Amino acid sequence: MTAHDPTLPPRPNSAPIGYAYDEYDRAFVRERVAEFRGQVERRLAGALTEDEFRPFRLMNGLYLQLHAYMLRVAIPYGTLTSRQMRQLAHIADTWDKGYGHFTTRQNLQFNWPRLVDVPDILEALADVDMHAIQTSGNCIRNVTADHFAGVAADEIEDPRPTAEFLRQWSSAHAEFSFLPRKFKIAVTGAEHDRAAVKVHDIGLRVVKNAAGDIGYEVIVGGGLGRTPFIGKLLREFLPRAELLAYLEAILRVYNRFGRRDNKYKARIKILVHETGLDELRAQVEAEFAAMDRAPFAYDSEEFARVAAFFGTAPYDELPERSEAFEKAKADDAAFAAFAAVNVAPHRASGYAIVTVSLKPIGGIPGDATAAQMRALADAADAYGFGELRVSHEQNIILPHVRKDDLHALWRDLDAVGLATANAGLISDIISCPGLDYCALATARSIPIAQAISKRFADLERQRRIGQLGVKISGCINACGHHHVGAIGILGLEKKGVESYQVTLGGDPTLDASIGELIGPGVSAEEVPDVIENLVEFYLAERCEGERFIDTVRRLGHKRFKESARREGEDGSGI
Amino acid sequence: MAALRHPQIVIASDLAQGDVVVLGAAGWERDHLRAKIAYDGEAAAALKAAADAEVAANRVVDAYLVDVAIAADGAPTPLHFREQFRFAGPSVRPDLGKQAERREGDGR
Ligand code: HEM
Ligand code: SF4
C-alpha cells in the first residue's frame, strides 16, 4: 500500500493482501483520514477556497453532484468481506440515505454524504480497512479484476495477487499522482474475459508460455469515453518477474508524452493512437532497458505470501452432483430458472458461483439498500465463507456456495428482493447514474434502463432471447459502457430535450468491438420500441445457438438497422 | 435597462451540506420559491455578483444564473430540465431530495 510513500521505507513488493492490512497500511489510511479531516475543517472555516480544496477532495473520492456530494469507495479487485459489507450498510444508514450504488469499476458510490460528515465516513471505512483514496483524480485508479477470480472453472490463475501487487505499487505512487489523466487497470486470469481488459488503459491477462511459465499478456490503450478504442497488444508474454518494472516503464512514457493540453485527448489511448503502437512499444522498451529496475525487483516469496491470502477456501469434499439441488430444481420452477441463469460452475466439486442480480425488474441498476447489503453479508456468512464480490456488471457475487445450499440461499435472497433470475439477460442492464445524479450528464439513463426492464419483464421471454448486454450512459463519458453493449444507449440533449442514440454490436470481451450507431437519436419513450424491434428481428433471424451479438455479426449492421426503423416509417424519427 | 430573454435566478450548492440552494432576498434559501428573480440585465448581474461574493466567502459552491419561467403564482421554474431535476431530486427516487421534503412539508 505504502510502497511509494516517501515517509516510509520503500517496500516495493510487500503486499498487505486484500483487506488484511498490516500496520503500515492501517497507519497510512488513518493518516490520510486525519489529513482530510483537517482539510475539511479548513475548507469550512474558509481557509481553503474551492479551487484549493477540490484536488484534495477528489483525491479522497469526493465529488460534488447535482443534488449533493458523492463519495466513491474503492472495492479493490471487487472482493469484499461480510464485515465490510455490513459497514457499508452502516454508513448508508448513518450518514447517507439508506442505500448505495455499485458501479462498473468495482466501486460503491454514496449519493448523499454531507461534507461535514465525510471525515467520519472515511474513519468508519478505515475501521474495516477500506478507503476512497485514488477513486478519482488523474492517478492510477482502483485496480479491477475478474469477479469470478479464484473460483472460475476456466481460470489459469487467480488474478487478485497480481492486482494486489499493482495496488501496492500504484497506491500513493508519488511520480504517478499527477498523470495527464486518470489511469485504469484490469486483470483477468481466465480464458474468458469477465474484466473487460480490452477497454482499460492497461489490461493484463495471465497466460502460460510454451515452457509452462506464467506471465502476462499486456494490452494497452483501450478506453471508452468520447473516443472509444479497443486496447492493443503491447507484449504477448511478460514474465511475472518483470511486471512492476514494465508497468512502471509504460506509466513513465505516458506521464512524459501523454497530452496535457486537452483533457479529451489526454488518456493513454490517444497517445497510443497518435504515436503508433510500434513506436510506443519502442519507447517503453527503451525506458525499461534504461531504468533502475532494482526497486521493482520481483520477490517470488513475497508473491507466494500474497497469493496465500487468496488461497483456496476450506471447502468440504463433496460430490459434484448434489441430490438436494437436483430435487429442488425439479420441484420448484422459479428456482430452476434462477439456477439456470444466475449459477455458474465452480472449480471445486460440489460448489457453485452465484450471481446476485442488483437489477430487479424496473429497479435502479446497481443500487442496494442497507437492508439488502446486510442480507448479502448474512448470506455470505451462512453460505459462502463470508466473502462477496462486486462485478463490473453492477451485480454481487457469492463465490463459494455449496450446491446443497443453493435452494436455501435463493429463498433468503428472494425474501429481500434479490433473487431476480436475469444475470446476463436483457434486463441485466449496466447503467450509469445519468442526469438523476451526475453533474456531467446530458440526459437521464436510469429511467431508460427501467423502461426496458419493464418492457421485457417476462423472465421466460428473456431466457428465450438469451444473453444480451444492454448498456446505458447519460453522456459521452461512457461510464455505462454503452460502446461495448450489444445494444448501447447514449443519452444526449437535442434541442432542449433528452434524446437517445442507439448503437449495435459492441462487445466487452476478448472479441471486443465498439458498437455502431443505428440512426438518429430517438426520444426516451421510443427507446423500448427500438430495442424490441431489434430483439424481434434477432429472434426471427437467429440460427441455432446464436446469441444476439452473433446474429448481429453474421447478418451485419445494415439489416438490423432497417429492422429498428420499422415502426418509424410514419416519420416519427426512429 | 438591458432586457433579458427570460427572467433569471441564482442557484448553487451549499458548501457544508452539498444540497441545492437559491439566492433569495435574505440570503440562501432551500426553497426555490423564495428565490430572488432578476427581470433585467442589471438585476441579473447584481444577483450574480452577490452570489460570487458568497462563493468567495466560502458559503456556497458553483453558483450560476438559471433561466426560469414564472408561473401564475409567481413560482420560478427553470427552463432547462437539468435544473428542473436539481430543484426536484432524482426522478427515479421521488422519496428523496427536495421533492420529498416539499411533500412532507406543505403538500405542494
Ligand atoms: C457520478 C459521477 C461520475 C463522474 C463525474 C464521472 C466522470 C467520468 C468521466 C469524465 C469519464 C471520461 C474520462 C475520459 O475519457 O477521460 C468517465 C469515464 C468512465 N467512468 Fe465515470 N463518472 C461518474 C460515475 C461513474 C459511475 C457510476 C461509473 C460506473 C457505473 C463510472 C465508470 C466509468 C467508466 C467505466 C468510464 C469509461 C472508461 C474509461 O475510463 O475510458 N463512472 N467518468
Ligand atoms: S456517463 Fe456521463 S452521465 Fe453517466 S456517470 Fe459518466 S459522466 Fe455521468
Side-chain angles (χ1 to χ4, degrees), chain A residues 43-44 46-50 57 64-69 97 99 112-116 364 367 435-437 439-444 446-447 450 493 496-498, chain B residues 11-20 55-62 64 79-93 95-98 101:
Chain A
R43 175 74 183 111
L44 291 170
L48 291 173
T49 65
E50 184 63 13
R57 72 166 157 76
L64 184 58
Q65 294 294 331
L66 290 178
H67 313 295
Y69 288 97
K97 301 208 175 192
Y99 70 105
W112 304 92
R114 304 183 316 158
L115 178 60
V116 286
I364 298 177
D367 275 13
L435 196 59
D436 281 301
Y437 295 97
L440 301 177
T442 41
R444 285 174 296 169
I446 297 167
Q450 291 175 312
E493 174 182 346
V497 290
E498 293 163 293
Chain B
I11 171 173
S13 299
D14 181 77
L15 172 65
Q17 315 278 326
D19 59 342
V20 175
V55 171
N58 299 309
R59 277 189 277 272
V60 296
V61 186
D62 192 24
Y64 58 96
L79 295 185
H80 198 280
F81 54 88
R82 184 178 189 272
E83 279 69 35
Q84 287 170 13
F85 288 131
R86 294 198 71 186
F87 282 172
S91 71
V92 294
R93 289 296 303 264
D95 58 323
L96 300 178
K98 294 197 177 300
E101 290 155 26

Coordinates of all heavy atoms in Angstrom, one line a residue, chain A residues 43-44 46-50 57 64-69 97 99 112-116 364 367 435-437 439-444 446-447 450 493 496-498, chain B residues 11-20 55-62 64 79-93 95-98 101:
Chain A
R43 N -11.5 24.1 5.0 CA -12.5 24.5 4.0 C -13.7 25.1 4.6 O -14.1 26.2 4.2 CB -12.9 23.3 3.1 CG -13.9 23.6 2.1 CD -13.3 24.3 0.9 NE -14.4 24.7 -0.1 CZ -14.8 26.0 -0.3 NH1 -14.2 27.0 0.4 NH2 -15.7 26.2 -1.2
L44 N -14.2 24.5 5.6 CA -15.5 25.0 6.2 C -15.2 26.3 6.9 O -16.1 27.2 7.0 CB -16.1 24.0 7.2 CG -16.6 22.7 6.5 CD1 -17.0 21.7 7.5 CD2 -17.9 23.1 5.7
G46 N -13.2 28.5 5.8 CA -12.9 29.5 4.8 C -11.4 29.7 4.6 O -11.0 30.6 3.8
A47 N -10.6 28.8 5.1 CA -9.1 29.0 4.9 C -8.7 28.4 3.5 O -7.7 28.7 3.0 CB -8.4 28.3 6.0
L48 N -9.6 27.5 3.0 CA -9.3 27.0 1.7 C -10.4 27.4 0.7 O -11.6 27.3 1.1 CB -9.2 25.5 1.7 CG -8.0 24.8 2.4 CD1 -8.2 23.3 2.5 CD2 -6.7 25.1 1.7
T49 N -10.1 27.8 -0.5 CA -11.1 28.1 -1.5 C -11.5 26.8 -2.1 O -10.8 25.8 -2.0 CB -10.6 29.0 -2.6 OG1 -9.6 28.4 -3.3 CG2 -10.1 30.3 -2.0
E50 N -12.6 26.8 -2.9 CA -13.0 25.6 -3.6 C -11.9 25.1 -4.6 O -11.6 23.9 -4.7 CB -14.3 25.8 -4.3 CG -14.9 24.5 -5.0 CD -15.2 23.4 -4.1 OE1 -15.3 23.6 -2.8 OE2 -15.4 22.3 -4.6
R57 N -10.3 17.0 -2.2 CA -11.5 16.1 -2.0 C -11.5 15.0 -3.1 O -11.9 13.9 -2.8 CB -12.8 16.9 -2.0 CG -13.3 17.6 -3.2 CD -14.7 18.1 -3.0 NE -15.1 19.2 -3.9 CZ -15.5 19.0 -5.2 NH1 -15.4 17.8 -5.8 NH2 -15.8 20.1 -5.9
L64 N -18.8 16.6 -6.2 CA -20.0 17.4 -6.0 C -20.9 17.1 -7.2 O -20.6 17.3 -8.3 CB -19.7 18.9 -5.9 CG -20.9 19.8 -5.5 CD1 -21.5 19.3 -4.2 CD2 -20.5 21.2 -5.4
Q65 N -22.1 16.6 -6.9 CA -23.1 16.2 -7.9 C -24.3 17.1 -8.0 O -24.2 18.2 -7.4 CB -23.5 14.7 -7.7 CG -22.3 13.8 -7.9 CD -21.8 13.7 -9.3 OE1 -22.5 14.0 -10.3 NE2 -20.5 13.4 -9.5
L66 N -25.3 16.7 -8.7 CA -26.5 17.6 -8.9 C -27.2 18.0 -7.6 O -27.6 19.1 -7.4 CB -27.5 17.0 -9.8 CG -27.0 16.9 -11.3 CD1 -28.1 16.2 -12.1 CD2 -26.7 18.2 -11.9
H67 N -27.4 17.0 -6.7 CA -28.2 17.2 -5.5 C -27.4 17.2 -4.2 O -27.9 17.6 -3.2 CB -29.2 16.1 -5.3 CG -30.0 15.8 -6.6 ND1 -30.8 16.7 -7.2 CD2 -30.0 14.7 -7.4 CE1 -31.3 16.2 -8.3 NE2 -30.8 15.0 -8.5
A68 N -26.1 16.7 -4.3 CA -25.3 16.6 -3.1 C -23.9 16.2 -3.4 O -23.6 16.1 -4.6 CB -25.9 15.4 -2.2
Y69 N -23.1 16.0 -2.4 CA -21.8 15.4 -2.7 C -21.9 14.0 -3.0 O -23.0 13.4 -2.7 CB -20.9 15.6 -1.4 CG -20.4 17.0 -1.2 CD1 -21.1 17.8 -0.3 CD2 -19.3 17.5 -1.8 CE1 -20.7 19.2 0.0 CE2 -18.9 18.8 -1.6 CZ -19.6 19.6 -0.7 OH -19.2 20.9 -0.5
K97 N -28.5 8.0 2.6 CA -30.0 7.8 2.7 C -30.4 6.3 2.5 O -31.3 6.0 1.8 CB -30.6 8.7 1.6 CG -30.3 10.1 1.8 CD -31.3 11.1 1.3 CE -30.9 12.5 1.7 NZ -32.0 13.5 1.5
Y99 N -28.9 3.7 1.2 CA -28.6 2.8 0.1 C -27.2 3.2 -0.5 O -26.7 4.2 -0.2 CB -29.7 2.9 -1.0 CG -29.8 4.2 -1.8 CD1 -29.3 4.3 -3.1 CD2 -30.3 5.3 -1.2 CE1 -29.4 5.5 -3.8 CE2 -30.4 6.5 -1.9 CZ -29.9 6.6 -3.2 OH -30.0 7.8 -3.9
W112 N -25.4 10.9 -1.1 CA -25.9 12.0 -0.3 C -25.0 12.4 0.9 O -25.5 12.9 1.9 CB -27.3 11.7 0.2 CG -28.3 11.3 -0.8 CD1 -28.6 10.1 -1.3 CD2 -29.1 12.2 -1.6 NE1 -29.5 10.1 -2.3 CE2 -29.9 11.4 -2.5 CE3 -29.3 13.6 -1.6 CZ2 -30.8 12.0 -3.4 CZ3 -30.2 14.1 -2.5 CH2 -30.9 13.3 -3.3
P113 N -23.7 12.1 0.9 CA -23.0 12.5 2.1 C -22.9 14.0 2.3 O -22.8 14.7 1.3 CB -21.6 11.9 1.9 CG -21.5 11.9 0.4 CD -22.8 11.6 -0.1
R114 N -22.9 14.5 3.5 CA -22.6 15.9 3.7 C -21.1 16.1 3.9 O -20.5 15.2 4.5 CB -23.4 16.4 5.0 CG -24.9 16.1 4.9 CD -25.6 16.6 6.1 NE -24.9 16.3 7.3 CZ -25.1 17.0 8.5 NH1 -26.0 18.0 8.5 NH2 -24.5 16.7 9.6
L115 N -20.6 17.2 3.4 CA -19.2 17.4 3.5 C -18.7 17.3 5.0 O -17.7 16.7 5.3 CB -18.8 18.8 3.0 CG -17.3 19.2 3.1 CD1 -16.5 18.2 2.3 CD2 -17.1 20.6 2.5
V116 N -19.5 17.8 5.9 CA -19.1 17.8 7.3 C -19.0 16.4 7.8 O -18.3 16.2 8.8 CB -20.2 18.6 8.2 CG1 -20.0 20.1 8.0 CG2 -21.6 18.2 7.9
I364 N -33.4 0.2 -10.1 CA -32.3 1.0 -10.4 C -31.0 0.2 -10.5 O -30.6 -0.3 -9.5 CB -32.1 2.2 -9.4 CG1 -33.4 3.1 -9.4 CG2 -30.9 3.0 -9.7 CD1 -33.4 4.2 -8.4
D367 N -28.1 -0.4 -7.5 CA -28.5 0.1 -6.2 C -28.8 -1.0 -5.3 O -29.5 -2.0 -5.6 CB -29.7 1.1 -6.3 CG -29.3 2.5 -6.6 OD1 -28.1 2.7 -7.1 OD2 -30.1 3.4 -6.5
L435 N -28.5 11.7 -15.5 CA -28.9 13.0 -15.0 C -29.8 13.0 -13.7 O -30.2 14.0 -13.2 CB -29.7 13.8 -16.1 CG -29.9 15.3 -15.9 CD1 -28.6 16.0 -15.8 CD2 -30.7 15.9 -17.0
D436 N -30.0 11.8 -13.3 CA -30.7 11.7 -12.0 C -29.7 12.1 -10.8 O -30.2 12.4 -9.7 CB -31.3 10.3 -11.8 CG -32.6 10.2 -12.5 OD1 -33.5 11.0 -12.2 OD2 -32.7 9.3 -13.4
Y437 N -28.4 11.9 -11.1 CA -27.5 12.3 -10.0 C -26.3 13.1 -10.6 O -25.7 13.9 -9.9 CB -26.9 11.0 -9.4 CG -27.9 10.2 -8.6 CD1 -28.5 9.1 -9.1 CD2 -28.2 10.6 -7.3 CE1 -29.5 8.4 -8.4 CE2 -29.1 9.8 -6.5 CZ -29.7 8.7 -7.1 OH -30.7 8.0 -6.4
A439 N -23.5 15.4 -12.4 CA -23.4 16.8 -12.8 C -23.0 16.9 -14.3 O -23.2 17.9 -14.9 CB -22.5 17.5 -11.9
L440 N -22.3 15.8 -14.8 CA -21.9 15.9 -16.2 C -22.9 15.4 -17.2 O -22.7 15.5 -18.4 CB -20.6 15.1 -16.3 CG -19.4 15.5 -15.4 CD1 -18.2 14.5 -15.6 CD2 -19.0 16.9 -15.7
A441 N -23.9 14.8 -16.7 CA -24.9 14.2 -17.6 C -25.6 15.1 -18.6 O -25.8 16.3 -18.3 CB -25.9 13.5 -16.8
T442 N -25.9 14.6 -19.8 CA -26.7 15.3 -20.7 C -28.1 14.8 -20.8 O -29.0 15.4 -21.3 CB -26.1 15.3 -22.1 OG1 -25.6 13.9 -22.4 CG2 -24.9 16.2 -22.3
A443 N -28.3 13.6 -20.2 CA -29.7 13.0 -20.2 C -29.7 12.0 -19.1 O -28.7 11.6 -18.6 CB -30.0 12.4 -21.5
R444 N -31.0 11.6 -18.8 CA -31.1 10.5 -17.8 C -30.8 9.2 -18.4 O -31.1 8.9 -19.6 CB -32.5 10.5 -17.2 CG -32.7 11.7 -16.2 CD -34.2 11.8 -15.8 NE -35.0 12.1 -16.9 CZ -36.4 12.0 -16.9 NH1 -37.0 11.6 -15.8 NH2 -37.1 12.3 -18.0
I446 N -31.1 6.1 -16.0 CA -31.8 5.1 -15.2 C -33.2 4.8 -15.6 O -33.6 3.7 -15.8 CB -31.7 5.5 -13.7 CG1 -30.3 5.5 -13.1 CG2 -32.6 4.5 -12.8 CD1 -30.2 6.2 -11.8
P447 N -34.0 5.9 -15.9 CA -35.4 5.6 -16.4 C -35.4 4.8 -17.7 O -36.4 4.1 -17.9 CB -36.0 7.0 -16.6 CG -35.1 7.9 -15.8 CD -33.7 7.3 -15.8
Q450 N -35.0 1.3 -16.7 CA -36.2 0.8 -16.0 C -37.3 0.5 -17.1 O -38.0 -0.5 -17.0 CB -36.7 1.9 -15.0 CG -35.8 2.0 -13.8 CD -36.3 3.1 -12.9 OE1 -36.5 4.2 -13.4 NE2 -36.3 2.9 -11.6
E493 N -28.5 15.6 -25.3 CA -29.6 16.6 -25.3 C -29.7 17.1 -26.7 O -28.7 17.4 -27.4 CB -29.2 17.8 -24.4 CG -30.2 18.9 -24.5 CD -29.8 20.1 -23.7 OE1 -29.0 20.0 -22.8 OE2 -30.4 21.2 -24.0
G496 N -33.0 20.9 -26.5 CA -33.6 21.1 -25.2 C -34.4 20.0 -24.6 O -35.0 20.1 -23.6
V497 N -34.3 18.8 -25.3 CA -34.9 17.6 -24.7 C -33.9 16.4 -24.7 O -33.0 16.4 -25.5 CB -36.2 17.2 -25.4 CG1 -37.4 18.1 -25.1 CG2 -36.0 16.9 -26.8
E498 N -34.2 15.5 -23.8 CA -33.4 14.3 -23.8 C -33.6 13.5 -25.1 O -34.7 13.2 -25.5 CB -33.7 13.4 -22.6 CG -33.4 14.1 -21.3 CD -34.1 13.5 -20.1 OE1 -35.3 13.6 -20.0 OE2 -33.3 12.9 -19.2
Chain B
I11 N -28.6 29.8 -8.6 CA -28.6 28.5 -8.0 C -27.2 28.1 -7.6 O -26.3 28.5 -8.3 CB -29.3 27.5 -8.9 CG1 -29.2 26.0 -8.4 CG2 -28.8 27.5 -10.3 CD1 -30.0 25.1 -9.3
A12 N -27.0 27.4 -6.5 CA -25.7 27.0 -6.1 C -25.8 25.7 -5.2 O -26.9 25.3 -4.9 CB -25.1 28.1 -5.3
S13 N -24.7 25.2 -4.8 CA -24.7 24.1 -3.8 C -24.1 24.6 -2.5 O -23.1 25.3 -2.5 CB -23.7 23.0 -4.3 OG -24.2 22.5 -5.6
D14 N -24.8 24.2 -1.4 CA -24.4 24.6 -0.1 C -23.0 23.9 0.2 O -22.9 22.8 -0.1 CB -25.4 24.2 0.9 CG -25.0 24.6 2.3 OD1 -25.2 25.8 2.6 OD2 -24.5 23.7 3.1
L15 N -22.1 24.7 0.7 CA -20.8 24.1 0.9 C -20.8 23.0 1.9 O -20.2 21.9 1.6 CB -19.8 25.2 1.5 CG -18.4 24.7 1.9 CD1 -17.7 24.1 0.8 CD2 -17.7 25.8 2.6
A16 N -21.4 23.1 3.1 CA -21.2 22.1 4.1 C -22.1 20.9 3.8 O -21.8 19.8 4.1 CB -21.6 22.7 5.5
Q17 N -23.4 21.2 3.3 CA -24.3 20.1 3.1 C -24.3 19.5 1.7 O -24.6 18.4 1.5 CB -25.8 20.6 3.4 CG -25.9 21.5 4.6 CD -26.1 20.7 5.9 OE1 -26.6 19.6 5.8 NE2 -25.5 21.2 7.0
G18 N -24.0 20.4 0.7 CA -23.9 19.9 -0.6 C -25.3 20.0 -1.4 O -25.3 19.7 -2.5
D19 N -26.3 20.4 -0.7 CA -27.6 20.4 -1.3 C -27.8 21.7 -2.1 O -27.1 22.7 -2.0 CB -28.8 20.2 -0.3 CG -28.8 21.2 0.8 OD1 -27.8 21.9 1.0 OD2 -29.8 21.3 1.5
V20 N -28.9 21.8 -2.9 CA -29.1 22.9 -3.8 C -29.8 24.0 -3.1 O -30.7 23.9 -2.3 CB -30.0 22.4 -5.0 CG1 -30.4 23.6 -5.9 CG2 -29.3 21.4 -5.8
V55 N -19.6 32.9 -2.9 CA -18.7 31.8 -3.2 C -17.3 32.2 -2.7 O -16.7 31.3 -2.0 CB -18.6 31.6 -4.8 CG1 -17.4 30.7 -5.1 CG2 -19.9 31.1 -5.3
A56 N -16.9 33.4 -2.9 CA -15.6 33.9 -2.3 C -15.6 33.8 -0.8 O -14.6 33.5 -0.2 CB -15.3 35.3 -2.8
A57 N -16.8 34.0 -0.2 CA -16.8 33.9 1.3 C -17.0 32.5 1.8 O -17.2 32.2 2.9 CB -18.0 34.7 1.8
N58 N -16.9 31.5 0.8 CA -16.9 30.1 1.1 C -18.2 29.6 1.9 O -18.1 28.8 2.8 CB -15.7 29.7 2.0 CG -14.4 30.0 1.2 OD1 -14.3 29.5 0.1 ND2 -13.5 30.8 1.8
R59 N -19.3 30.1 1.4 CA -20.6 29.6 1.9 C -21.3 28.7 0.9 O -22.0 27.8 1.3 CB -21.5 30.8 2.3 CG -21.2 31.3 3.7 CD -22.2 32.4 4.1 NE -21.9 33.7 3.6 CZ -21.1 34.6 4.1 NH1 -20.5 34.3 5.3 NH2 -20.9 35.7 3.6
V60 N -21.1 28.9 -0.3 CA -21.7 28.1 -1.4 C -20.6 27.8 -2.4 O -19.5 28.4 -2.5 CB -22.9 28.7 -2.0 CG1 -24.0 28.9 -1.1 CG2 -22.5 30.0 -2.8
V61 N -20.9 26.8 -3.3 CA -20.0 26.4 -4.4 C -20.8 26.4 -5.7 O -22.0 26.2 -5.7 CB -19.6 24.9 -4.1 CG1 -18.5 24.5 -5.2 CG2 -19.0 24.8 -2.7
D62 N -20.1 26.8 -6.7 CA -20.7 26.6 -8.1 C -22.0 27.4 -8.3 O -23.0 26.8 -8.6 CB -20.9 25.1 -8.3 CG -21.2 24.8 -9.8 OD1 -20.8 25.6 -10.6 OD2 -21.8 23.8 -10.1
Y64 N -24.5 29.8 -10.2 CA -24.7 30.3 -11.6 C -26.1 30.7 -11.8 O -27.1 30.3 -11.1 CB -24.3 29.2 -12.6 CG -25.0 27.9 -12.5 CD1 -26.1 27.6 -13.3 CD2 -24.6 26.9 -11.7 CE1 -26.8 26.4 -13.3 CE2 -25.2 25.7 -11.6 CZ -26.3 25.4 -12.4 OH -27.0 24.3 -12.3
L79 N -36.1 26.7 -17.0 CA -36.5 26.3 -18.4 C -35.8 25.0 -18.8 O -36.3 24.2 -19.5 CB -36.1 27.3 -19.4 CG -36.8 28.7 -19.2 CD1 -36.4 29.6 -20.3 CD2 -38.3 28.4 -19.2
H80 N -34.6 24.7 -18.3 CA -33.8 23.5 -18.7 C -34.1 22.4 -17.7 O -34.2 22.6 -16.5 CB -32.3 23.8 -18.7 CG -31.6 22.8 -19.5 ND1 -31.2 21.6 -19.0 CD2 -31.2 22.8 -20.8 CE1 -30.6 20.9 -19.9 NE2 -30.5 21.6 -21.0
F81 N -34.2 21.2 -18.3 CA -34.6 20.0 -17.5 C -33.5 19.7 -16.4 O -33.8 19.2 -15.4 CB -34.9 18.8 -18.3 CG -33.9 18.4 -19.3 CD1 -32.9 17.5 -19.0 CD2 -33.9 18.9 -20.7 CE1 -31.9 17.1 -19.9 CE2 -33.0 18.5 -21.6 CZ -32.0 17.6 -21.2
R82 N -32.3 20.1 -16.7 CA -31.2 19.8 -15.7 C -31.5 20.5 -14.4 O -31.5 19.8 -13.3 CB -29.9 20.2 -16.3 CG -28.7 19.9 -15.4 CD -27.4 20.4 -16.1 NE -26.2 20.0 -15.4 CZ -25.6 20.6 -14.4 NH1 -26.2 21.8 -14.0 NH2 -24.5 20.2 -13.8
E83 N -31.8 21.8 -14.5 CA -32.1 22.5 -13.2 C -33.5 22.1 -12.7 O -33.7 22.2 -11.5 CB -32.0 24.0 -13.5 CG -30.5 24.5 -13.4 CD -29.7 24.0 -14.6 OE1 -30.3 23.9 -15.7 OE2 -28.5 23.8 -14.4
Q84 N -34.4 21.7 -13.5 CA -35.7 21.2 -13.0 C -35.4 20.0 -12.1 O -36.0 19.9 -11.0 CB -36.6 20.8 -14.1 CG -37.2 22.0 -14.9 CD -37.9 21.6 -16.2 OE1 -38.2 20.5 -16.4 NE2 -38.2 22.6 -17.0
F85 N -34.5 19.1 -12.5 CA -34.2 18.0 -11.7 C -33.5 18.4 -10.4 O -33.7 17.8 -9.4 CB -33.3 17.0 -12.5 CG -34.0 16.2 -13.5 CD1 -33.5 16.1 -14.8 CD2 -35.2 15.6 -13.3 CE1 -34.2 15.4 -15.8 CE2 -35.9 14.9 -14.2 CZ -35.4 14.8 -15.5
R86 N -32.6 19.4 -10.5 CA -31.9 19.9 -9.3 C -32.9 20.4 -8.3 O -32.7 20.3 -7.1 CB -30.9 21.0 -9.7 CG -29.7 20.4 -10.6 CD -28.5 21.4 -10.5 NE -27.9 21.3 -9.2 CZ -26.9 22.1 -8.9 NH1 -26.4 23.0 -9.7 NH2 -26.3 22.0 -7.7
F87 N -34.0 21.0 -8.8 CA -35.0 21.5 -7.8 C -35.9 20.4 -7.3 O -36.6 20.6 -6.3 CB -35.8 22.6 -8.5 CG -35.2 23.9 -8.6 CD1 -35.7 25.0 -9.3 CD2 -33.9 24.1 -7.9 CE1 -35.1 26.2 -9.4 CE2 -33.3 25.4 -8.0 CZ -33.9 26.4 -8.7
A88 N -35.9 19.3 -8.0 CA -36.8 18.2 -7.5 C -36.1 17.1 -6.8 O -36.5 16.7 -5.7 CB -37.5 17.6 -8.8
G89 N -35.0 16.6 -7.3 CA -34.3 15.5 -6.8 C -34.3 14.4 -7.9 O -34.8 14.7 -9.0
P90 N -33.7 13.2 -7.6 CA -33.6 12.2 -8.7 C -35.1 11.8 -9.1 O -35.9 11.5 -8.3 CB -33.0 11.0 -8.0 CG -32.4 11.5 -6.7 CD -33.1 12.8 -6.3
S91 N -35.3 11.8 -10.4 CA -36.6 11.5 -10.9 C -37.0 10.0 -10.6 O -38.2 9.7 -10.6 CB -36.7 11.7 -12.4 OG -36.0 10.8 -13.2
V92 N -36.0 9.2 -10.4 CA -36.2 7.8 -10.1 C -36.4 7.5 -8.6 O -36.7 6.4 -8.3 CB -35.1 6.9 -10.7 CG1 -35.1 7.0 -12.2 CG2 -33.7 7.3 -10.1
R93 N -36.2 8.5 -7.8 CA -36.4 8.4 -6.4 C -37.3 9.5 -5.8 O -36.8 10.4 -5.1 CB -35.1 8.3 -5.6 CG -34.3 7.0 -5.9 CD -34.9 5.8 -5.3 NE -35.2 5.8 -3.9 CZ -34.4 5.3 -2.9 NH1 -33.2 4.8 -3.3 NH2 -34.7 5.4 -1.7
D95 N -38.9 9.7 -3.4 CA -38.9 9.8 -2.0 C -37.7 10.5 -1.5 O -37.5 10.7 -0.3 CB -38.9 8.3 -1.4 CG -37.7 7.5 -1.9 OD1 -37.3 7.7 -3.1 OD2 -37.1 6.7 -1.2
L96 N -36.8 11.0 -2.4 CA -35.6 11.6 -1.9 C -35.5 13.0 -2.5 O -36.0 13.3 -3.6 CB -34.4 10.8 -2.4 CG -34.2 9.4 -1.8 CD1 -33.0 8.7 -2.4 CD2 -34.2 9.4 -0.3
G97 N -34.6 13.8 -1.9 CA -34.4 15.2 -2.4 C -35.5 16.2 -2.1 O -36.3 15.9 -1.3
K98 N -35.4 17.3 -2.8 CA -36.3 18.4 -2.4 C -37.8 18.0 -2.6 O -38.6 18.4 -1.9 CB -36.0 19.6 -3.3 CG -34.6 20.2 -2.9 CD -34.5 21.6 -3.5 CE -33.1 22.2 -3.1 NZ -32.9 22.3 -1.6
E101 N -39.0 16.5 0.5 CA -39.1 17.4 1.6 C -40.4 18.3 1.4 O -41.1 18.6 2.3 CB -37.9 18.3 1.7 CG -36.7 17.6 2.1 CD -35.4 18.3 1.7 OE1 -35.4 19.5 1.4 OE2 -34.4 17.6 1.5

